[in-house]
Amino acid sequence: MLDIEEPVADVSLVLVVDELDAESLSGALEAVRMAPGLREVPMTIVHQPGVDVGPVLEQTTDVRAAVALPEVELAVMERVLGATTKYACVAVLPRPSKVPAWTRKVVREVNRLEQLPLASDVPLLVWAGSCTRQTVAQYVNQMLARQEVEPGSLLAAYLGRLTLAAANPLLEAVDPQDGDLEVLAFFAAQFVPGMPEPPWRFRIVLTGPSGDVVRSEPIRLTPRIDSHGKVRWEELTTTLSLRTAGNGHSRFIIEVDTEEPLLRLRRNLRPRRGALISARTVHMPVPAAQGSNSGAPVTVRYLLHTTGDGSAAFITSQIGTGWRAKVRWAATLLKKDAGFIFRGRKRRQMRWLRLVRLVTRPFFARRKIWLIGERTDTAQDNGVHLFAHMREVHPERAVYYVIDRSSPQYDRVAKYGNVIAHSSWQHQLLMLHAAVLANAYSIRYLIPASWGAGSYTRHLVWRVGALRVYLKHGVHLSPNSVKRGTTGYDLCLTVMPGETAALRASSGYDEQLVEVGMPRYDALTPTPPSRTLLFMPTWRKYLVTKVLDGAEEGEEPYEGSAYERFMTGFLESRRLHDLLEKYDYRLTFLPHYNMASRFEGASVAGERIQLANADDVTFQDLIRGCDAFITDFSSVHFDVAYVGTPIVYARFDEEDFETKHSSPSWFDYEADGFGPVVRSLDQTLDAVEDLLERGCEPDPFYAARVDAAFASRDQQNCARTVAAIDSHVAQR
């Protein structure tokens, strides 16, 4: 038994103090001084320059140094690596009441490490649950850079245990594969980009009430591209055999792969939203030779779910043959329903909805209901185009469009019929029985307003089991922001090979990507010349987008920004208006949805420059009708190129946009773009003048790029989308 009363030797403490903790510093130091096991341990305090620790330090001799640096993590790492002791422990200053428990953890961990023959060129970091993931990540990076750590060694297992203790391991997705589970996990350790490959290994385990039922082979961490385009060693993939798991409930566990008992550690794999929101009953036929000695056909069924606070992922599985297995599974689900509906008073609305679903299920059993939408108040993008196609080509199908009844765009879609008011009783009822949910922006826009998104995800999604289709609203120029673990789509449309490859490399999606084009492309048929230029810039998430809103954390004022200066300069440009006058053209400006309020009543140079309202005209009509197109970074330029219209890219705030709004893109505007790239107001006006001088005729150089970029340029995008959805529905 480990003795926590005896003072530990050869360990240093580094305490991190922020402004709020400074008030309790004196009490915390007193508690540490009195704690058994940590007497006479050298301490260093690291704090930001604005934190006043002077009065406390004058009253104690226990603190060897106080470091005030803006880069706290850097200062912490310098103290850890420079320690003359064998061990170092970093802690965000505990509250005085928490010090005894924290002290016991420190002593236990030091005593644990003392029993191991660990050889290291730097002090060993002691994990006591109170330092940040960033600290551990920085330490591991330094350790791997300073010495060679052999795979399978005790030191490798120590680092694996340390990182697993600090990380937030997440289950991103599970996919069926011939009776097995393909598991995708995100280690979420915040490792430093460029860190050497980790030499330790993990295993993912399914464990039940009677012990482990399935254990994976040792798994190494593989590179994962984060939302900012940084590559980190934080992805785990493996296969688990459900054929050997049997019937019952199991929990997902991640553990360090080691034979040393003192270094073993297990953690729950917490399910990410994307894993839960795509959960449903999955049926996997297994070849008889693999599944049963009797030769009878076998079906493996499973359901991913969570319980309580969502801190662990569970799977309910069953292996069986024939109708009896089917009935047993139905009984399992009914038992889950009954247990939830009649248990306690919490989550009353979700319990009521589950009951309504059970009672009304017989009336919807044979109907394949599709719910399609965009934002709650719009009908102008891929959603409405797919819906119109379905109503015209497949009027017999139960396909509905969901939109706010008060939306100015309601009448635009009402003419097709089967339009239901968002959050109405009809909308809620159909959501309980939908086979397909398809949206151009996010499936969350289809959730009724009175349903909490979290409760819906946890208590209804898996029971309804609708296919989730992301119709999207443009080509993904920055695919790093799309992650399967947060979005959980069953089907994601792509337009061209470059986009598909970029998403496959960074998103966690693979077979879910279908290169069918976008439904709205079917409406992109050329029109006669209109002598109109269209200006459509995108938005900036780092700017305050609405006039009366104050700046939130991470936002900058709109006024005085490079965006505001360019927009004002362009719209009020006398030279622009004179060019339009000279060549007899007009310019239509359509601001992005998120920036529209900034341009209400905006000043323009003259009557040849007009502001469009998306409620009055569809942007597809504007695109089809323009003779030339000007944008900054909007992916709508792909729509324009699809029609064959010339384009100018005004990238006036390139550095701000690429560092504050987007992540690195697979699309190189200089090498792949469909028109000239300019970076100032004067250059933009020069490019506009060049266009007008040649009557907005396409440049053959850029036209060849357009021809090479698109896999298809036809009016069959809706048909391909429907075929892809039908194929996936049939496989369920």
Side-chain angles (χ1 to χ4, degrees):
M1 184 174 179
L2 299 178
D3 187 354
I4 65 170
E5 297 296 328
E6 288 295 322
V8 293
D10 219 8
V11 62
S12 301
L13 296 183
V14 179
L15 300 179
V16 182
V17 182
D18 63 21
E19 188 171 359
L20 294 177
D21 289 333
E23 297 180 1
S24 59
L25 177 58
S26 179
L29 289 178
E30 179 67 20
V32 172
R33 185 187 304 114
M34 300 300 294
L38 293 182
R39 299 186 184 96
E40 300 181 1
V41 169
M43 287 184 285
T44 298
I45 292 178
V46 177
H47 61 92
Q48 293 181 335
V51 179
D52 184 12
V53 298
V56 175
L57 299 184
E58 292 174 358
Q59 302 173 20
T60 180
T61 59
D62 293 333
V63 178
R64 302 296 174 86
V67 183
L69 288 175
E71 297 293 337
V72 170
E73 292 293 342
L74 178 61
V76 167
M77 202 46 50
E78 287 178 351
R79 266 56 201 174
V80 169
L81 299 176
T84 58
T85 53
K86 183 178 180 180
Y87 305 104
C89 181
V90 178
V92 176
L93 185 70
R95 298 295 181 188
S97 61
K98 303 290 185 181
V99 167
W102 170 74
T103 300
R104 288 192 291 271
K105 291 180 181 178
V106 174
V107 174
R108 286 196 185 99
E109 191 64 17
V110 171
N111 286 333
R112 179 197 304 274
L113 297 177
E114 276 287 274
Q115 299 177 62
L116 299 168
L118 291 169
S120 172
D121 297 339
V122 299
L124 296 172
L125 186 63
V126 176
W127 172 260
S130 54
C131 73
T132 65
R133 276 186 286 170
Q134 293 92 330
T135 295
V136 173
Q138 290 283 354
Y139 173 81
V140 171
N141 181 53
Q142 290 293 330
M143 171 76 85
L144 295 179
R146 291 175 180 231
Q147 69 183 86
E148 185 174 351
V149 181
E150 292 292 334
S153 65
L154 282 180
L155 190 56
Y158 155 76
L159 291 175
R161 186 178 194 277
L162 179 66
T163 57
L164 180 56
N168 180 26
L170 301 166
L171 180 67
E172 293 219 295
V174 294
D175 291 315
Q177 186 65 44
D178 298 329
D180 296 334
L181 277 186
E182 299 288 341
V183 180
L184 174 65
F186 172 31
F187 195 55
Q190 297 187 358
F191 286 137
V192 178
M195 184 183 84
E197 180 177 356
W200 58 87
R201 300 292 182 264
F202 296 110
R203 291 179 188 264
I204 291 179
V205 182
L206 287 180
T207 187
S210 301
D212 296 346
V213 293
V214 181
R215 300 179 77 237
S216 75
E217 294 297 315
I219 317 164
R220 69 184 186 92
L221 288 164
T222 56
R224 183 180 192 271
I225 303 174
D226 70 13
S227 59
H228 301 289
K230 304 293 186 182
V231 180
R232 306 174 192 267
W233 295 95
E234 295 192 335
E235 186 162 287
L236 291 160
T237 56
T238 192
T239 300
L240 298 175
S241 176
L242 283 186
R243 289 169 291 178
T244 60
N247 302 332
H249 307 282
S250 305
R251 178 165 44 104
F252 284 89
I253 294 289
I254 180 172
E255 66 177 16
V256 181
D257 180 43
T258 180
E259 296 297 324
E260 173 52 63
L262 290 173
L263 292 176
R264 288 176 184 162
L265 180 66
R266 301 184 124 197
R267 297 277 308 278
N268 286 333
L269 270 181
R270 183 167 65 86
R272 295 199 84 181
R273 180 177 179 273
L276 292 178
I277 208 163
S278 58
R280 63 179 63 86
T281 293
V282 176
H283 308 260
M284 285 190 288
V286 179
Q290 299 178 25
S292 172
N293 293 329
S294 67
V298 172
T299 298
V300 176
R301 294 177 174 87
Y302 74 83
L303 172 67
L304 178 72
H305 58 98
T306 189
T307 59
D309 59 0
S311 61
F314 293 85
I315 193 166
T316 299
S317 59
Q318 179 203 77
I319 302 175
T321 62
W323 64 269
R324 288 186 177 86
K326 187 175 182 179
V327 170
R328 284 201 308 273
W329 184 257
T332 297
L333 297 183
L334 186 60
K335 183 178 178 181
K336 287 180 179 290
D337 281 331
F340 180 73
I341 292 169
F342 299 109
R343 183 177 57 213
R345 295 185 177 182
K346 294 182 179 180
R347 298 181 290 271
R348 179 176 297 178
Q349 183 188 36
M350 290 295 112
R351 290 163 51 221
W352 171 251
L353 289 170
R354 286 273 285 274
L355 178 60
V356 170
R357 184 187 179 279
L358 273 179
V359 172
T360 58
R361 181 59 183 161
F363 301 100
F364 293 89
R366 297 183 181 277
R367 299 179 66 188
K368 297 294 184 182
I369 295 169
W370 289 28
L371 295 183
I372 301 176
E374 296 172 5
R375 296 185 181 97
T376 58
D377 61 345
T378 63
Q380 62 181 8
D381 213 309
N382 288 311
V384 72
H385 284 276
L386 178 62
F387 177 68
H389 171 85
M390 293 297 292
R391 295 297 293 151
E392 292 169 359
V393 179
H394 303 287
E396 76 286 356
R397 293 201 184 190
V399 179
Y400 301 86
Y401 194 88
V402 182
I403 187 172
D404 282 344
R405 185 64 184 87
S406 60
S407 168
Q409 299 180 22
Y410 183 91
D411 292 339
R412 185 182 294 173
V413 69
K415 62 185 179 182
Y416 299 112
N418 277 18
V419 176
I420 57 175
H422 196 285
S423 301
S424 64
W425 68 266
Q426 186 181 13
H427 176 202
Q428 296 186 60
L429 181 61
L430 293 178
M431 280 288 289
L432 296 176
H433 301 285
V436 175
L437 299 177
N439 198 286
Y441 292 89
S442 171
I443 300 297
R444 66 183 174 86
Y445 287 115
L446 287 174
I447 301 174
S450 63
W451 298 9
S455 295
Y456 166 71
T457 299
R458 189 168 298 175
H459 302 299
L460 280 178
V461 164
W462 63 269
R463 199 62 180 99
V464 178
L467 190 79
R468 293 167 49 82
V469 182
Y470 183 40
L471 302 174
K472 70 181 188 175
H473 50 282
V475 174
H476 282 109
L477 289 171
S478 300
N480 300 330
S481 61
V482 179
K483 298 298 179 188
R484 189 177 180 190
T486 55
T487 54
Y489 295 118
D490 298 295
L491 211 60
C492 179
L493 309 192
T494 64
V495 171
M496 55 187 60
E499 179 195 21
T500 306
L503 282 168
R504 183 169 284 120
S506 64
S507 67
Y509 287 113
D510 188 4
E511 295 178 356
Q512 298 79 15
L513 302 173
V514 288
E515 197 171 294
V516 296
M518 288 193 291
R520 73 189 191 202
Y521 282 1
D522 284 359
L524 294 178
T525 53
T527 63
S530 63
R531 309 200 70 78
T532 302
L533 309 183
L534 178 60
F535 177 40
M536 279 185 65
T538 191
W539 68 302
R540 303 294 188 271
K541 69 181 180 182
Y542 55 88
L543 296 180
V544 180
T545 57
K546 296 183 179 179
V547 175
L548 298 179
D549 284 0
E552 297 181 359
E553 184 177 356
E555 288 187 334
E556 301 173 8
Y558 172 80
E559 294 77 8
S561 65
Y563 189 89
E564 189 260 354
R565 293 196 305 272
F566 181 88
M567 294 300 158
T568 301
F570 187 72
L571 296 175
E572 296 181 359
S573 170
R574 192 68 240 172
R575 180 186 170 192
L576 173 62
H577 193 271
D578 290 345
L579 287 171
L580 296 172
E581 187 81 37
K582 177 180 178 180
Y583 294 100
D584 191 24
Y585 277 81
R586 293 183 177 276
L587 182 137
T588 298
F589 169 49
L590 181 65
H592 189 277
Y593 178 92
N594 292 336
M595 303 293 290
S597 67
R598 286 289 179 187
F599 297 98
E600 292 177 0
S603 174
V604 296
E607 61 181 12
R608 287 185 175 267
I609 301 174
Q610 300 174 338
L611 272 65
N613 187 328
D615 291 335
D616 300 329
V617 61
T618 67
F619 75 82
Q620 284 86 5
D621 287 340
L622 292 174
I623 289 170
R624 291 190 310 119
C626 72
D627 294 346
F629 183 76
I630 306 161
T631 189
D632 49 0
F633 306 92
S634 174
S635 65
V636 175
H637 75 89
F638 287 101
D639 298 56
V640 177
Y642 198 87
V643 184
T645 302
I647 299 169
V648 172
Y649 300 104
R651 296 166 64 86
F652 54 87
D653 61 346
E654 192 169 41
E655 183 176 354
D656 281 350
F657 184 85
E658 292 184 348
T659 57
K660 301 176 184 178
H661 182 95
S662 70
S663 60
S665 176
W666 59 273
F667 188 84
D668 186 326
Y669 285 83
E670 300 281 1
D672 307 320
F674 310 127
V677 176
V678 294
R679 292 181 170 83
S680 69
L681 177 58
D682 286 340
Q683 290 177 1
T684 303
L685 295 175
D686 290 342
V688 169
E689 185 170 11
D690 289 342
L691 274 173
L692 298 180
E693 281 182 347
R694 67 172 191 264
C696 293
E697 285 295 319
D699 185 326
F701 175 78
Y702 294 114
R705 285 187 179 179
V706 173
D707 292 337
F710 291 93
S712 301
R713 289 175 70 192
D714 55 27
Q715 273 61 55
Q716 297 300 313
N717 296 276
C718 284
R720 286 191 292 269
T721 300
V722 173
I725 295 173
D726 283 344
S727 175
H728 278 68
V729 170
Q731 294 172 16
R732 292 175 50 197

